[in-house]
Amino acid sequence: MTLATQRGMRDPATGGRFGSFGGRFVPESLIPACAALEEAFRDAWTDPGFRQQLDLFRAVHAGRPTALTPAWNLSAELGITLLLKREDLAHTGSHKINNVLGQALLARRMGKTRLIAETGAGQHGVAAATAAALFGLRATVYMGERDIERQALNVFRMNLLGAEVVPVTTGSRTLKDATNEAMRQWVANVDDTHFCLGSVAGPHPYPWMVREFQRVIGEEARRQVAAELPTGVPDVVVACVGGGSNAAGTFAGFADTGARLIGVEAAGGAAMTDGTVGVVHGSRSLVLQNAEGQIAEAHSIAAGLDYPGVGPEHAHLGESGRAQYVTVSDDEVLIALKRLARTEGIICALESAHAVAWVMRAAGTDELPHGSTVLLTLSGRGDKDMAQLQDQPIMTEPPAGLQADLPAGRQAGLQPGGQAGLQPGRQAGAGAGRVAS
Amino acid sequence: MTLRLGTDRPLLVPFLTGGVTADWTDYLLAYQEAGADAIEVGLPFSDPMLDGTTIQQASDQALTRGATVEAILHELAAIRGRLRVPIIVMAYANLVLKVGIERLAQAGVSGLIVSDLPLEESAELESAAAAAGIDMILLVAPVTPDDRLRQICLRSQGFVYAVSVMGVTGERTTLAPEAEALARRAKLLLTEPGVDGSHAGSRDDENPVQRLPVLIGFGVSTPEQAAVAGRAGDGVVVGAALMRRVLDGASPADLRREVGALRAALDQGVSTATPYAEISGDRG
Ligand SMILES: Cc1ncc(COP(=O)(O)O)c(C=O)c1O
């Protein structure tokens, strides 16, 4: 166990295993395609030319590196030092762009002319449509009928980008069914089509490959945090977990340090907490299911976390004890989203607000004692959620707790980087001050 | 499970989604009366990744009715006395891993096909199946390269399931040309000494009884297509075409006629001269 802490997040063992999780549970028809993809990725990932190309597009198209923002006011209120890794500032509004740029470049390298993708919230679909437009690939995005209703604006964005959005009308008509449909279409079109999977799930090599494409979050954050904190690494690293790609990418930058890794799931879609071992969408992991193995539907206010499974590497990190997984409720998420908006001037995605909500709840407890330093990945921006939030009473009528908290923070005369703000997070103080001055 | 091979006709294995209607086991008996050599029973799954619209709908309908794996196995066991043909369960890995091979064996199941369990992942289940006396039937696809095809043929039991198309289950207007090529490749490999355990290693043994049958499935939709597939392979699995009729409300008696028509087409398709010479030749 202690060794596991120092080992970090390694490449999977043969066959795509992370401990007893992972693997390649796909129909025989897809085995050659998965094998070819694995080989192409291995080849590309060790090719400096490919890396350079990806770095270029990350910089000039996606706007990387993304900023690290000290959450001065919220830090002061919570008595911790909270640093935000701003994936919300990446092009298309979330970390999903990191993965699709990598996969689209790889698809092109493999001679594929078309991308297919599954999407829930539509963020991955938008990112895939974006990369397809950029690299001259055709794109088809499969999306559950129910999600299409919930995320109409993202459907429009995908269409505007030239992608075809195909409604999935079977099963629960959400992300898991869209994923099934994308797999079916992949089987039938494997010659010219790359399946651009959106998270660290699916058959080998996807969980590993997507983590590697998202690793840029953790690596940038590691450098940025080192410049902020005298200790070099934060005490805690936290990210929200749907399939687990922004968390995996973040954790990859810190797994070999002493930092505690915390993944935050939606209470209604918590495969790590409530799931049991199962095989879905091509890998063995933890999944919400009944005793017979029928996959359950997840329920979260955040469409991007409405997924009954979780990436196999998270199941492994959880089992080995290297990472810890917690849940927050929809109500906590709404409060957190609003509080971050009011304290820091950042409207984050509902998904990302899960991570914020855990920090708010844990701060000052044994889970996250006063004075702790925290790196939190803000996986996306909230624009996509505004229509949905307009209907939430909590957004127009702030709960009592929130109102009481705000003046307390304000009365302390906190300014970004101001001394009062730095007091609780002493260690970060100097660094945060540097940023502000 | 021994599927009779090398007699005068190709094998017919019709498919039914377990629990699709209240009287679903009556369809099994109808299939048997119509001349099925074995019957494939699909376990309905919430996430049928390898199934097209028809079998997805059948699966949904069964689950909506409240069908459970346990109830399906219970009902299967209950008609065991009346079912003489082998029952082969087709399921997704997650259901099989949960229910366990033992339980399938108890219900009288003699063969198992797991759609999303390729060679790399199947070793564990294969040994459990061997212990329980259940045949693990492995699938091959048009894209399966020869070396891999050889390995699968070596490990498959009961028969080799040749997936006719690069795609999901569902009806097609014609039999995919790659189906015949795949069946031919598989049959050739199965006659190699040492590939098929039951072949007894003798190359000059021309009797095809000695090797595993190759059945063509996915998309075999009409009696005409069945006849073609029956000539290319050693028989057919027919699923979606039958399930569409069941979903449309056709009765067990109706399905008996459907399967009877498939039976007749298969029988006539190879009824002349020496069937196996034709199959391995260029007739397809
Ligand atoms: C902003 C945002 N964060 C997080 C997620 C969850 O995905 P993952 O857990 O793979 O990072 C999504 C998925 O749509 C998302 O849009």
Side-chain angles (χ1 to χ4, degrees), chain A residues 94-96 121 123 199 240-246 304-305 349 351-352 379-380:
Chain A
S94 82
H95 67 292
K96 299 285 180 187
Q123 287 303 96
S199 194
C240 69
V241 174
S245 68
N246 86 88
L305 304 187
E351 291 80 8
S352 324
S379 58

Side-chain angles (χ1 to χ4, degrees), chain A residues 15 17 22-32 170-171 176-177 180-181 183-184 187-190 276-282 284 287 289-295, chain B residues 44-51 56 60 63 68-71 93-95 97-98 115-121 124 139-141 143-145 148 152 163 165-168:
Chain A
R17 305 267 163 206
R24 187 176 280 166
F25 292 83
V26 293
E28 177 63 22
S29 314
L30 284 178
I31 288 290
T170 50
K176 80 178 177 70
D177 311 282
N180 293 331
E181 191 56 30
M183 289 268 205
R184 292 182 192 114
V187 180
N189 299 285
V190 78
T276 50
V277 177
V279 172
V280 71
H281 296 149
R284 186 201 301 269
V287 58
Q289 58 184 330
N290 71 12
E292 287 210 326
Q294 305 293 354
I295 309 303
Chain B
F45 184 44
S46 54
D47 293 78
M49 184 172 88
L50 196 60
D51 284 304
Q56 282 179 50
D60 269 0
L63 293 174
T68 62
V69 174
E70 195 43 50
N94 201 47
L95 294 185
L97 296 173
K98 282 273 186 283
S115 336
D116 54 348
L117 201 73
L119 216 50
E120 290 79 359
E121 308 291 350
E124 212 174 299
L139 301 108
V140 296
V143 289
T144 307
R148 188 175 166 89
I152 297 175
V163 174
V165 281
M166 287 302 289
V168 294

Side-chain angles (χ1 to χ4, degrees), chain A residues 168-183:
Chain A
V168 176
T169 57
T170 50
S172 61
R173 293 173 294 133
T174 60
L175 177 57
K176 80 178 177 70
D177 311 282
T179 309
N180 293 331
E181 191 56 30
M183 289 268 205

